[in-house]
Amino acid sequence: MEIFNLTVREYEKNLRLDKYLSEQLKDISRSYLQKLIKDGAVAVNEGSQKSNYRLQSGDCIRITIPDDMQPDIAAEDIPLDILYEDDQLLVVNKAKGMVVHPSAGHYSQTLVNALLYHCGDSLSGINGVLRPGIVHRIDMDTTGALVVCKTDLAHQSLALQLQEHTITRRYRAIVLHNIKDDIGTVEGPIGRHPTDRKRMAINHKNGKTAVTHYRVLERFGQYTYIECRLETGRTHQIRVHMASIGHPLLGDAVYGPAKCPYHLQGQCLHAMVLGFRHPITEKYMEFTAPIPEYFNELLQKFR
């Protein structure tokens, strides 16, 4: 069983309950959330409400997601942009809007569904049936390079490299406002937000060490185009760190302004460069995922 506690903020009032939950719990389908509401698994201020309830600022919502029977994850013929593949692993360029692995109420159209179709039984089983081959992940609305393991040996090797912080991960991002310094480092432990279960935050009490290095690529006055290099890999690390210094990512409604003038689908963040030692040859390999079209269009507009 998994429990989420959410508090409605001022700019979120008047949203329907089911729409609000679908925006907060993006890995769970709206239809499944509506079922949870109908079944009494969602409490608003400790009482029950219907899906069409209009939220008020300060409403406290508690969602209880029951443990499911272990589902059969279906292989689905979903196109993959494969940057590299051999008998141990593959590197994919994940599309925007694609969830990496299945979760409660969201068991289709994920990267794992596509991988099962493409690889068949050739995926590592260390992370179980819901996350075969998945050794790390990127957010649904983040694009870019992701390594997938076909064998347990590859999985163990890549997991160790992640633990030792020896994997190269360089991201491209567009952030709000003009960053003063050309280069910089953000350090701050990241953990769960104390009151909002779906958000991460700088958490000195319960957070884990997190370090992000950035450098400015171009300045556009209201926005800055940057490269970020991860020294650690915490959930939402770049999004939290850049917001903490007053430069949230463009399009990031969770850690930045609720409204975006460019009608974007989430944050402008792209995992561009991924490098690691091959689990068999131990040769260092590095892959570059091209900047997505929407990102390039924004850059051209700002220029």
Side-chain angles (χ1 to χ4, degrees), residues 13 24 29 37 56 67 79 124 149 158 176 179 239 252:
K13 69 180 183 181
Q24 296 296 313
S29 70
I37 294 169
Q56 300 300 312
D67 291 329
S124 71
C149 298
L158 270 295
L176 271 60
I179 296 181
R239 299 167 65 188
D252 192 344

Side-chain angles (χ1 to χ4, degrees), residues 44-59:
V44 180
N45 302 323
E46 300 185 359
S48 60
Q49 294 289 351
K50 294 182 178 180
S51 291
N52 62 358
Y53 168 74
R54 296 288 176 174
L55 296 170
Q56 300 300 312
S57 177
D59 278 351

Side-chain angles (χ1 to χ4, degrees), residues 18-288:
D18 56 353
K19 185 177 189 300
Y20 169 79
L21 292 181
S22 68
E23 291 177 354
Q24 296 296 313
L25 306 176
K26 291 187 176 181
D27 285 351
I28 303 177
S29 70
R30 188 165 175 174
S31 61
Y32 185 75
L33 288 167
Q34 290 171 336
K35 181 179 185 301
L36 290 178
I37 294 169
K38 186 177 180 180
D39 292 345
V42 177
V44 180
N45 302 323
E46 300 185 359
S48 60
Q49 294 289 351
K50 294 182 178 180
S51 291
N52 62 358
Y53 168 74
R54 296 288 176 174
L55 296 170
Q56 300 300 312
S57 177
D59 278 351
C60 296
I61 303 172
R62 182 181 177 88
I63 308 104
T64 303
I65 300 177
D67 291 329
D68 289 340
M69 297 293 289
Q70 194 74 301
D72 291 327
I73 305 302
E76 297 181 54
D77 187 5
I78 302 169
L80 288 173
D81 183 0
I82 297 174
L83 302 175
Y84 173 82
E85 183 173 14
D86 63 24
D87 59 355
Q88 293 292 319
L89 55 85
L90 66 157
V91 178
V92 299
N93 181 17
K94 190 190 80 66
K96 198 171 187 68
M98 175 179 272
V99 175
V100 170
H101 57 75
S103 59
H106 199 125
Y107 293 125
S108 65
Q109 297 298 305
T110 72
L111 178 61
V112 164
N113 295 108
L115 290 168
L116 288 172
Y117 183 90
H118 178 79
C119 299
D121 295 332
S122 298
L123 288 171
S124 71
I126 290 177
N127 273 347
V129 69
L130 290 179
R131 306 182 186 189
I134 304 299
V135 68
H136 71 120
R137 61 181 292 275
I138 53 180
D139 296 337
M140 177 177 72
D141 290 329
T142 299
T143 55
L146 185 78
V147 62
V148 177
C149 298
K150 291 185 175 182
T151 68
D152 288 355
L153 185 151
H155 196 122
Q156 290 163 348
S157 173
L158 270 295
L160 182 60
Q161 292 179 59
L162 279 169
Q163 183 180 336
E164 294 176 341
H165 309 307
T166 58
I167 290 183
T168 299
R169 283 170 292 175
R170 297 205 300 272
Y171 288 69
R172 294 292 175 90
I174 300 175
V175 300
L176 271 60
H177 316 308
N178 188 10
I179 296 181
K180 180 180 178 181
D181 299 318
D182 289 339
I183 60 173
T185 297
V186 186
E187 297 185 61
I190 292 178
R192 288 289 174 192
H193 190 282
T195 59
D196 189 339
R197 179 66 175 75
K198 286 300 290 182
R199 299 178 72 201
M200 308 300 287
I202 301 293
N203 188 327
H204 291 280
K205 182 178 180 181
N206 299 312
K208 294 182 179 180
T209 301
V211 182
T212 304
H213 305 282
Y214 67 84
R215 66 183 180 96
V216 172
L217 300 175
E218 291 184 73
R219 301 177 187 277
F220 305 115
Q222 289 183 304
Y223 306 106
T224 308
Y225 180 34
I226 64 172
E227 179 180 83
C228 292
R229 179 173 62 84
L230 293 183
E231 192 170 309
T232 55
R234 310 303 178 197
T235 302
H236 297 180
Q237 179 171 318
I238 293 173
R239 299 167 65 188
V240 171
H241 271 173
M242 296 313 298
S244 76
I245 62 170
H247 297 285
L249 273 61
L250 177 62
D252 192 344
V254 176
Y255 299 104
K259 294 183 179 180
C260 174
Y262 298 102
H263 307 290
L264 301 176
Q265 182 183 333
Q267 64 278 355
C268 290
L269 185 61
H270 177 65
M272 187 167 180
V273 177
L274 179 67
F276 52 84
R277 297 188 316 276
H278 192 276
I280 299 298
T281 67
E282 302 220 342
K283 177 183 176 182
Y284 179 76
M285 310 172 73
E286 191 169 278
F287 305 94
T288 300

